[in-house]
Amino acid sequence: MLIHIFQHVPFEGPGCIIDWANTHHHKVSFTKWYENPARPDMTAVDLLVVMGGPMSVNDETVHSWLKTEKECIRQAIQAGKRVLGICLGAQLIATSLGARVYANTQKEIGWYPVAYSTALLPPALAVELPEAQTVFHWHGDTFDLPAGATCFASTAVTPNQAFLIGHQVMGLQYHFEVTPDSLNEMVQHGMDELVPAAYVQDADTIRAEQRYLEGSNITMYRLLDFLTSNYA
């Protein structure tokens, strides 16, 4: 398979997704919008992965390439390609499909549990998810569900933490992909956001809770396996 990654800033890369791709001998290519905002050729792409970033999906006046990126995501979905969005990436999928993206009541930054609701999921995905899991969050915006989407994860302040559309499109508001290196990169570049609040942890707490990384990465691999398992 050819996996194409949309990356928005240098410090929010694919993390363990690269490890998964290498294990399965998949090819990986990138569009780094912050370096080259030209529209990529998506013809040969099998799986599109849309990463996170500190900007808002509504910042088209600041980042004019966002409009092009949204069109690429919408066209990839319409073409039947597999699409995974993480954090900003999930929000970009939502807005590309006509859903509203807006500021949440509170920011969530740090390690917080999500509760899963699997009753409406395909059995092949439902069996891969626990009842709850502590995961890494870094988001201030939230979204309404796109048409046809099933929500399968939530927290106390963010009802829509993850969604699935068919077997093809998945959005995750949180970061299963983080590794020790990518976690440190995010913290170093986001220190100005670590202002004490109900759901914002400090840098030391975030770095100290890396025991959750292995479980997050394992779930990331399982979700990627699901998305690509019925690819023909």
Side-chain angles (χ1 to χ4, degrees), residues 104-117 131-143 151-163 172-176 198-200:
N104 202 356
T105 57
Q106 298 189 63
K107 288 185 176 182
E108 285 180 292
I109 303 177
W111 296 96
Y112 297 103
V114 295
Y116 293 110
S117 177
E131 290 186 6
Q133 185 173 15
T134 298
V135 298
F136 185 61
H137 303 257
W138 199 307
H139 53 88
D141 285 353
T142 188
F143 50 80
C151 177
F152 65 89
S154 62
T155 61
V157 295
T158 309
N160 295 328
Q161 285 279 5
F163 64 82
L172 304 172
Q173 182 79 301
Y174 44 87
H175 295 271
F176 274 144
Y199 293 94
V200 177

Side-chain angles (χ1 to χ4, degrees), residues 53-88:
M55 63 285 295
S56 166
V57 302
N58 302 310
D59 286 346
E60 290 183 8
T61 55
V62 180
H63 306 288
S64 58
W65 45 261
L66 279 167
K67 183 176 180 180
T68 303
E69 183 178 13
K70 293 171 188 177
E71 292 171 353
C72 290
I73 293 169
R74 184 166 53 251
Q75 290 168 3
I77 293 171
Q78 291 171 345
K81 299 181 185 297
R82 275 48 178 172
V83 181
L84 170 65
I86 296 173
C87 199
L88 174 68

Side-chain angles (χ1 to χ4, degrees), residues 26-37:
H26 297 318
K27 297 179 180 179
V28 179
S29 59
F30 285 83
T31 293
K32 297 183 178 181
W33 294 101
Y34 56 94
E35 290 182 347
N36 180 15

Side-chain angles (χ1 to χ4, degrees), residues 6-10 33-34 50-53 55 65 69 88-89 92:
F6 282 175
Q7 189 169 338
H8 307 103
V9 287
W33 294 101
Y34 56 94
V50 188
M51 299 307 305
M55 63 285 295
W65 45 261
E69 183 178 13
L88 174 68
L92 282 164

